[in-house]
């Protein structure tokens, strides 16, 4: 896949945009954002889950059932579960962090939030 200037893999932004459109209609942007970020953090913090999500040799049925179970136990919304299952079915879980970053950016725009960096001469309390 080709990288864009911002470092996003082409095509993955479409997943984030599609999810964003679906959850805006369902009025659940913040909930889904929190769930997707939690899923990405779980992958980063658990070596077994990380390996599982990146291993293309695992049968699709096993991968999907495992993802459904993980998301169900985490009590994720149907929108989040469906989104992550689609990723599992299409062997895209290795790119979920990129999509999550893009979705967070879209969510911030929806909430009219801006990411900012502050530099000070003195440390802030």
């Amino acid at each position: 896949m080709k990288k864009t200037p911002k470092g996003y893999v082409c095509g993955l932004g479409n997943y984030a945009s599609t999810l964003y459109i679906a959850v805006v209609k369902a009025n659940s942007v913040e909930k889904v954002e929190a769930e997707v970020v939690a899923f990405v953090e779980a992958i980063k913090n658990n070596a077994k889950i990380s390996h599982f999500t990146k291993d293309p040799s695992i049968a699709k049925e096993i991968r999907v059932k495992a993802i459904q179970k993980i998301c169900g136990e985490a009590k994720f919304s149907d929108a989040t579960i469906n989104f992550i299952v689609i990723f599992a079915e299409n062997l895209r879980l290795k790119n979920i962090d990129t999509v999550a970053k893009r979705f967070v950016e879209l969510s911030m725009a929806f909430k009219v939030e801006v990411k900012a960096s502050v530099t000070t001469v003195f440390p802030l309390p």
Side-chain angles (χ1 to χ4, degrees):
M1 290 191 172
K2 184 179 165 191
K3 293 240 181 194
T4 63
K6 282 191 162 191
Y8 296 116
V9 178
C10 289
L12 295 179
N14 293 338
Y15 283 100
S17 297
T18 301
L19 176 62
Y20 173 77
I21 291 166
V23 298
V24 164
K25 290 179 181 178
N27 198 27
S28 59
V29 174
E30 291 181 20
K31 180 173 179 46
V32 171
E33 176 187 4
E35 292 170 348
V36 170
V37 169
F39 184 78
V40 170
E41 287 302 313
I43 291 171
K44 288 181 182 177
N45 296 327
N46 187 312
K48 285 184 179 181
I49 294 174
S50 179
H51 177 71
F52 175 79
T53 60
K54 295 175 182 164
D55 187 353
S57 68
I58 296 171
K60 180 166 85 170
E61 297 80 25
I62 294 170
R63 184 176 35 258
V64 168
K65 284 182 183 179
I67 292 300
Q68 287 173 329
K69 184 175 181 181
I70 290 167
C71 293
E73 288 177 4
K75 299 192 184 331
F76 286 168
S77 65
D78 289 342
T80 303
I81 294 171
N82 292 339
F83 174 71
I84 295 172
V85 165
I86 288 170
F87 256 65
E89 288 175 340
N90 295 316
L91 294 172
R92 299 283 187 140
L93 284 173
K94 64 184 176 194
N95 302 112
I96 192 110
D97 58 333
T98 303
V99 175
K101 287 176 190 174
R102 179 68 183 131
F103 181 75
V104 167
E105 289 174 359
L106 292 169
S107 176
M108 286 176 63
F110 174 78
K111 296 180 285 185
V112 193
E113 295 178 351
V114 178
K115 187 184 268 188
S117 297
V118 177
T119 305
T120 66
V121 177
F122 302 103
L124 297 174

